[in-house]
Amino acid sequence: MFNLLRMDLYRLKRSKSLYIWLAVLMAISVLCYWMVWLINTPEGRSLAGKIDMVLTEETLTQEDLAIAENYDLLAMFRETGMDGGGFTCITGILAALFVCLDFHSGFMKNIMALHRDRWKYVASKLITAGILNFFYLAVLLAFGFLLNACFGVLVPWAGIGSIAFYMVSAWILSTAFSALFILVILLTRSSAAGVTAALLLGSGLVQLLLLNITGLFHVTKWFDYTLYANLTYAPTAYAGIGDWKGAATGLVFLVLYSVLGCAVLARQDI
């Protein structure tokens, strides 16, 4: 399995899409900080007026101003990708296409000829996805620190404990999402299916649609135990043992999708 993992990491490191999508997420971070700077600083509102973006205390709603003033570093970090599922869509697409390429290139047959235990293949892909998610999260967090400093400490710094808590939860939940999209590829062997699943499930479109439908029957509690809800609305500061619900939910789904992936691959012809 370690040879598989080393090979996967080598391929991932040489993939141009890894760095292209990271640049997209970093650009989103810059845009979010710039918008908060425009809203929440006199200099920003003055600049906005000069470029015909009429942002003054009169034109902005109190809700807009309150949101901007109450942001801290973690709230900004979540705004730049976690809210709306941008981060999970991108990492999910990368994970799905990474696995699908093995099928389309015929590389999968060579791998299975050398590794009869197919769980090793699934484990290698899941570890690779976990490393990818950790890399993205760490780089984006460090970039957030840099942006906040460049904008003159636009939002308050978050505590080390809060950062560690949120990063652990976000990593587990995003990796569980990646495991889901890998499972879709193992079931369908279709890159189109994997990308579609990442866009629809990673963005929460399917979950929110089902929430609206089940809300008509007053059945909405299930939404609190979805990966999307826990990643999007999870607390950014640790206040009690109950705040680990999101990480626990992610672990359950991660194990479930991993076991299903191993079962599917063991029962299918390569």
Side-chain angles (χ1 to χ4, degrees), residues 91-103:
T91 55
I93 289 173
L94 284 172
L97 293 180
F98 192 69
V99 175
C100 203
L101 183 62
D102 288 346
F103 286 102

Side-chain angles (χ1 to χ4, degrees), residues 45-56:
R45 289 194 287 268
S46 175
L47 176 62
K50 293 178 181 179
I51 59 177
D52 295 329
M53 293 176 60
V54 186
L55 295 177
T56 65

Side-chain angles (χ1 to χ4, degrees), residues 5-146:
L5 178 60
R6 184 173 58 183
M7 178 180 60
D8 286 340
L9 293 176
Y10 177 78
R11 291 168 55 202
L12 185 65
K13 184 179 67 173
R14 294 179 61 86
S15 174
K16 293 181 180 178
S17 57
L18 170 73
Y19 306 102
I20 293 173
W21 284 115
L22 178 59
V24 170
L25 288 171
M26 293 172 76
I28 295 173
S29 298
V30 173
L31 179 61
C32 287
Y33 271 89
W34 183 66
M35 291 300 297
V36 172
W37 179 78
L38 286 176
I39 292 174
N40 206 36
T41 64
E43 297 86 354
R45 289 194 287 268
S46 175
L47 176 62
K50 293 178 181 179
I51 59 177
D52 295 329
M53 293 176 60
V54 186
L55 295 177
T56 65
E57 294 186 1
E58 290 76 20
T59 58
L60 288 169
T61 65
Q62 291 300 316
E63 183 179 359
D64 293 331
L65 293 171
I67 290 175
E69 290 175 356
N70 291 329
Y71 272 1
D72 64 3
L73 183 71
L74 281 177
M76 285 293 295
F77 179 75
R78 187 166 69 178
E79 186 74 14
T80 57
M82 299 304 171
D83 285 1
F87 182 87
T88 47
C89 284
I90 289 175
T91 55
I93 289 173
L94 284 172
L97 293 180
F98 192 69
V99 175
C100 203
L101 183 62
D102 288 346
F103 286 102
H104 290 174
S105 65
F107 190 55
M108 189 69 166
K109 291 184 178 180
N110 297 330
I111 295 175
M112 291 298 103
L114 296 174
H115 300 276
R116 296 294 182 179
D117 295 329
R118 298 186 177 185
W119 67 267
K120 293 181 180 179
Y121 176 84
V122 177
S124 173
K125 290 297 183 286
L126 290 174
I127 294 174
T128 301
I131 293 173
L132 169 66
N133 291 340
F134 178 81
F135 171 70
Y136 269 21
L137 286 169
V139 171
L140 291 174
L141 179 64
F143 189 59
F145 274 98
L146 178 62

